[in-house]
Amino acid sequence: MEHTVENFSEEDDNDLYEHHAFVVEKGQKPLRIDKYLMNFVENATRNKIQNAAKNGSIYVNGTPVKQNYKVKPLDNIRVLFTHPPHENLLVGEAIDIDVVYEDDSLLVVNKPAGMVVHPGHGNYSGTLINALIYRFDNLPNNSSDRPGLVHRIDKDTSGLLVVAKTEEAMAHLSLQFAEKTSEREYVALVWGNIEEDEGTVEGNIGRHPKNRLQNTVFIGDEAKKGRPAVTHYKVIERLGYVTLVACKLETGRTHQIRVHMKHIGHTLFNDERYGGEKILKGTTFTKYKQFVDNCFKVLPRQALHAKTLGFKHPKTGEFLRFNSEIPEDIANCIEKWRGYAKHQELSDD
């Protein structure tokens, strides 16, 4: 059984605001609550969690607990503070954004790696939404009350996003994404040599039962724990121990490409959250380890870029397609692997 996460809500009776809520799964072994929460609260440190416990902010079954409390199956854990969650307090910020296209209905933005799309735990400023609400008044809210956002990409993924400027554009574009008529193609560098030139990964995606900062694929009897997800991939270039691929999304689940590629044994290069920051393929030579470490330094994030975005314009009906350059960090990393693969071929001859 999966852990349950409840929605953020306001506690009217005692002026406390709920920031996190979890119901512990049936199979959970006894574990200190500070260690347990480390797996479930993004950007949390053990120190922050321990301080929250000291301040009486962590409740289990309605009672405040200390950091050494051992969680048990079906415990109801809530983290409450006297201030509302920061993501509810949106503030405009004068942040430069790379606008690829703009008209009265929408704009297309090329997001750099490292920029968070919307405020959340640990990232309350410097986000794309902070930049958008500084620049525009009255952006329409999506179904999650986030202004302008039709879809999102991860913090350390670079690339193209469409933003709606009117209610009509939001409704029209959201429907295209829901009905899978939009076009989204990513470029990824993955560990290992993908045998087939192209293929499709199908597997329902949901929260990882033991680490809520990850998602995972659920198949067979467990499929109902996730939501349907389909990724089509095509090999662009084989570079020895890594492969450059194009991935087309049919659905848009959180971390979809990262989860699907790991599921078929080809974790994204330097994807720390999913284990791609380890050497997953290759030799045991120290020289090779140094080479890979240098690649990690050149590309200090997962090798994923949202390269192509296409959709029907909500007003004109014209199909618009936008392409973006592969960013310098990924391009430099690919170049390093090209050199390595060539060197390997020469030494094999």
Side-chain angles (χ1 to χ4, degrees), residues 37-38 40-46 48-49 116 120-124 155 213 273:
L37 286 174
M38 284 286 289
F40 292 87
V41 180
E42 193 159 0
N43 298 311
T45 62
R46 187 96 175 265
K48 273 186 190 169
I49 291 167
V116 176
H121 294 284
N123 297 293
Y124 305 123
K155 174 186 176 182
L213 304 185
R273 185 165 293 190

Side-chain angles (χ1 to χ4, degrees), residues 193-197 235 238 266:
N193 181 27
I194 299 181
E195 286 177 24
E196 306 83 11
D197 285 339
V235 170
R238 299 177 190 282
H266 296 286

Side-chain angles (χ1 to χ4, degrees), residues 61-92:
N61 307 324
T63 307
V65 297
K66 295 299 175 199
Q67 68 264 28
N68 61 355
Y69 173 85
K70 297 266 178 72
V71 300
K72 299 186 297 296
L74 302 181
D75 269 351
N76 189 318
I77 301 173
R78 301 169 76 210
V79 184
L80 304 173
F81 291 106
T82 53
H83 59 87
H86 285 274
E87 58 265 41
N88 295 351
L89 311 170
L90 293 175
V91 179

